[in-house]
Amino acid sequence: MKTLLVFSRLIDSITENIGKAVGWLILIAVLVSAGNAVIRKMFNMSSNAWLEAQWYLFGGAFMLAAAYTLSQNEHIRIDVVYGKFSRRVQHWIDLLGHCLFLMPFVLLMVYFLVPYVLMSYRSGEGSSSAGGLIVWPAKAILLAGFVLLAAQGVSEIIKKIAIMRGDMEDPTPYVPTHAPLDTAIAEEKGA
């Protein structure tokens, strides 16, 4: 299990570094968007390439940060139900969810995206809009996002098993979002 936990920490480190770095894509997308709007209003000019660049940047930020979001336990879940269970049951729900839903979905997406990206790259697929960008980088970002999400899914499965076996502390103890903050803090301190 120690080797698997080392592997899990390596995955966590990679997704954390990528997740934090791609946050800058949002700023770049906002600047591109603002610049495009100013040029359009001031000079009555526009470019499909700039509009598509915004889409690539937002899509890249979303897809490449999904694994980091999973590692931080920040994906949306139904807290009304989940929060009523003990932490051990929550770990079981997470483990089964990762194994039965997350992993089959992301692995299926990777399986179908590889030939999709390769075909786009080999053909030099371009935008259907006049003056648009080449398309394969956006498709490659989609593939990279699902590969990262699959790797992080493996890491989360390893960690859930290790936590349930008592081989590691819970790195993200669950605090229900509907509980008042002072109540949650008091519960953590054992008051």
Side-chain angles (χ1 to χ4, degrees):
M1 184 51 97
K2 289 184 187 209
T3 305
L4 290 174
L5 285 171
V6 168
F7 180 63
S8 174
R9 280 192 290 275
L10 174 65
I11 293 170
D12 290 349
S13 175
I14 291 168
T15 57
E16 180 177 356
N17 289 329
I18 292 171
K20 288 180 177 179
V22 299
W24 289 101
L25 294 180
I26 300 294
L27 175 62
I28 296 167
V30 167
L31 294 174
V32 167
S33 177
N36 194 28
V38 168
I39 290 170
R40 188 174 55 245
K41 295 294 182 188
M42 289 182 71
F43 302 108
N44 200 23
M45 294 172 39
S46 186
S47 164
N48 286 333
W50 286 108
L51 294 172
E52 289 180 10
Q54 291 170 222
W55 176 72
Y56 282 24
L57 291 164
F58 278 121
F62 178 82
M63 285 307 301
L64 297 174
Y68 177 63
T69 304
L70 179 63
S71 75
Q72 298 300 304
N73 199 27
E74 293 293 330
H75 279 284
I76 296 171
R77 62 170 51 94
I78 303 172
D79 290 334
V80 174
V81 174
Y82 186 84
K84 294 188 185 291
F85 293 114
S86 70
R87 190 61 181 133
R88 181 148 182 85
V89 172
Q90 290 174 352
H91 286 304
W92 273 106
I93 291 170
D94 289 342
L95 180 61
L96 292 173
H98 293 331
C99 291
L100 299 176
F101 298 105
L102 174 70
M103 293 308 293
F105 174 71
V106 294
L107 293 174
L108 193 64
M109 291 302 296
V110 169
Y111 176 78
F112 284 115
L113 281 169
V114 168
Y116 181 67
V117 172
L118 287 174
M119 185 175 64
S120 180
Y121 175 75
R122 288 180 184 144
S123 70
E125 182 180 6
S127 172
S128 59
S129 301
L133 301 174
I134 55 174
V135 175
W136 70 262
K139 292 180 179 182
I141 288 170
L142 192 62
L143 174 61
F146 277 108
V147 167
L148 284 171
L149 196 54
Q152 189 60 46
V154 169
S155 175
E156 294 303 310
I157 290 168
I158 292 168
K159 289 187 290 190
K160 289 296 173 193
I161 292 170
I163 290 167
M164 291 171 17
R165 287 180 42 170
D167 293 335
M168 74 176 279
E169 293 280 327
D170 187 356
T172 55
Y174 179 73
V175 176
T177 55
H178 57 275
L181 184 58
D182 55 347
T183 305
I185 293 170
E187 287 175 4
E188 278 185 0
K189 292 181 179 178

